[in-house]
Amino acid sequence: MLRLDDLTVFVRTADRGSLSAAARELEISPALASAAVKRLEAELKLRLFARTTRSLRLTEEGEHYLRHAREALRLLKEGHDALIQGQEALGGTLKISMPSDLGRNMVLGWLDAFQAQYPKVSLQLSISDRLSDMYRQPVDIAIRYGMQDDSSLIALPLAPDNRRVLVASPDYIKQHGKLHALGDLARHNCLRFMLEDVIHDRWSFYRDAHGAADVVHVNGNRSADDADVVRRWAVAGVGIAYKSRLDLSADIRAGRLQVLLPDVLGEPTPLNMLCMHRSQISPTVLQLRDFLRAQCEKA
């Protein structure tokens, strides 16, 4: 395989007419420079230089190959410069709204890492489970779960295959027993989420990805309009929660929560990054999209 360093030594040697001069310019030893040229010749199965004790000149094959080597190095430098310029261009202020649980426990840490990589980016965050009105509030990006009803918004997928899962703590399962079927939910304390003063007490499940939903009406002694509170209750062992797997991934990995009925498909909850206009999809937004999507895949 051709090495970039070997190409560089070859071009500098051809320009200077001397291995020792090329070595000095590249700050390497003449022996390393000579080895680089020999390695390149062996890879190409060509003699690039005609050598005598007093001179070094390009062969006919070397003259021909030199043009291609120069062009290859030029293109590589252009690509590197474009990448550096693109990174330097990433900046400005992003106003982002996000859901409470995912925002506090996952996205905040991800954004810390993003800003460390791109320090010219400034962030203004709004963390709430109430859906932000992007047309009235000063928000550039909304990170939201679920299918989007507003077709005028542009959705950049972050976790398109995410679904809800039923979870409970090991202590709750030990005390109240595992679920064997969805009908068992009727005898359990179900921790319910409340949005816009409406309690989410009808939980939908699916036999397969394309089947109709089985809707189960659930009851419990606790409900909250903050999804993080529902997760904390579940970890504390006071009931069963039905939430986005992405929100719960750290708790599941750590053993604080266990997935119940893992063979039952939960409600689809794709995670998207939403913008109002295509003009808002700047290089910074696209880089953030790629960064967050990679973090979601690792979670």
Side-chain angles (χ1 to χ4, degrees):
M1 181 181 293
L2 295 180
R3 294 170 53 169
L4 177 61
D5 290 346
D6 294 351
L7 281 178
T8 302
V9 170
F10 166 62
V11 171
R12 294 292 180 89
T13 301
D15 289 343
R16 301 295 175 262
S18 165
L19 271 170
S20 58
R24 284 194 301 271
E25 190 169 300
L26 295 171
E27 298 182 344
I28 60 175
S29 70
L32 284 177
S34 178
V37 171
K38 289 178 180 178
R39 192 165 46 240
L40 183 59
E41 288 179 325
E43 185 71 30
L44 296 172
K45 297 180 174 60
L46 294 172
R47 283 191 67 205
L48 299 174
F49 292 104
R51 301 169 179 83
T52 69
T53 55
R54 295 188 176 182
S55 67
L56 185 74
R57 64 176 179 82
L58 286 166
T59 62
E60 184 177 349
E61 292 89 350
E63 290 276 7
H64 180 72
Y65 188 70
L66 180 61
R67 295 194 296 271
H68 297 286
R70 286 192 198 282
E71 181 66 9
L73 291 175
R74 183 187 68 80
L75 290 174
L76 287 169
K77 184 178 185 303
E78 282 186 4
H80 178 265
D81 290 346
L83 180 62
I84 296 300
Q85 290 171 6
Q87 290 179 339
E88 290 176 349
L90 294 180
T93 299
L94 291 179
K95 300 175 183 178
I96 308 173
S97 71
M98 64 191 74
S100 66
D101 198 351
L102 183 74
R104 293 189 187 108
N105 299 307
M106 304 286 279
V107 178
L108 285 182
W110 296 345
L111 292 178
D112 286 343
F114 183 79
Q115 270 192 310
Q117 191 170 347
Y118 304 103
K120 294 184 179 180
V121 177
S122 297
L123 301 172
Q124 292 182 14
L125 305 183
S126 173
I127 299 179
S128 171
D129 285 319
R130 293 187 177 274
L131 297 180
S132 58
D133 186 338
M134 298 183 69
Y135 298 98
R136 294 185 179 181
Q137 296 181 8
V139 173
D140 300 316
I141 297 168
I143 297 174
R144 289 183 185 169
Y145 280 122
M147 306 298 184
Q148 299 308 313
D149 297 328
D150 191 342
S151 60
S152 66
L153 295 176
I154 299 167
L156 304 176
L158 298 179
D161 299 323
N162 187 57
R163 287 179 176 269
R164 295 184 189 276
V165 290
L166 287 166
V167 293
S169 72
D171 287 343
Y172 181 88
I173 295 171
K174 183 178 180 180
Q175 183 176 355
H176 300 279
K178 291 185 177 181
L179 296 181
H180 298 286
L182 291 175
D184 293 344
L185 286 170
R187 61 179 179 83
H188 283 272
N189 190 40
C190 294
L191 307 170
R192 298 163 300 167
F193 176 64
M194 186 167 55
L195 183 63
E196 306 294 342
D197 298 324
V198 177
I199 296 177
H200 180 58
D201 59 1
R202 294 182 180 276
W203 295 355
S204 297
F205 303 88
Y206 299 81
R207 300 182 190 278
D208 58 66
H210 305 290
D214 290 330
V215 180
V216 180
H217 185 270
V218 297
N219 288 289
N221 62 10
R222 300 191 186 197
S223 61
D225 64 357
D226 188 316
D228 189 33
V229 171
V230 174
R231 183 189 63 81
R232 289 169 184 257
W233 282 340
V235 171
V238 297
I240 292 175
Y242 185 46
K243 285 177 51 59
S244 157
R245 189 181 190 104
L246 196 55
D247 286 350
L248 305 170
S249 57
D251 294 315
I252 294 170
R253 281 197 306 271
R256 292 185 292 269
L257 293 173
Q258 294 180 10
V259 176
L260 308 174
L261 301 179
D263 295 331
V264 175
L265 289 178
E267 184 179 352
T269 53
L271 184 68
N272 296 297
M273 199 164 78
L274 303 177
C275 299
M276 286 189 297
H277 308 292
R278 291 204 174 273
S279 60
Q280 291 178 302
I281 306 178
S282 64
T284 303
V285 169
L286 288 176
Q287 191 67 30
L288 178 61
R289 184 272 313 271
D290 293 344
F291 186 87
L292 293 181
R293 185 160 56 187
Q295 301 308 309
C296 289
E297 290 172 356
K298 294 177 187 176

